[in-house]
Amino acid sequence: IVALLAQRFSCVRAIGLAKKEQGAPVLDLKREDALRDIYSELAQQHGLDASFVMRYLDIVLAESKRIQRQGT
């Protein structure tokens, strides 16, 4: 899980730089809503508690936004 998070956040840094260059906002509520729908479905498919998966997603999204705002 840690290695996958490291890979994700490496991509997040690149996305953050691209957004900064294009003047795009870090926050994208439509994308977050779409991700919530996807993760909810995946939780159900894998027999996981959806509220747990949503808490996990919220943490990952918060860190992703922090990294993008940091611009590194």
Side-chain angles (χ1 to χ4, degrees), residues 10 19 21 26 39 45 49 53 66 70-72:
S10 177
K19 285 181 177 181
E21 289 173 1
V26 169
Y39 274 65
Q45 288 176 9
D49 182 285
V53 173
R66 186 193 69 76
Q70 209 174 28
T72 59

Side-chain angles (χ1 to χ4, degrees), residues 22-61:
Q22 296 175 6
V26 169
L27 185 61
D28 184 346
L29 293 177
K30 286 185 181 181
R31 179 65 182 146
E32 287 189 25
D33 288 343
L35 286 172
R36 282 180 173 63
D37 290 342
I38 292 166
Y39 274 65
S40 179
E41 179 64 30
L42 287 170
Q44 184 179 16
Q45 288 176 9
H46 293 280
L48 296 172
D49 182 285
S51 65
F52 165 75
V53 173
M54 292 302 109
R55 289 192 310 270
Y56 168 79
L57 179 60
D58 287 340
I59 292 167
V60 171
L61 290 175

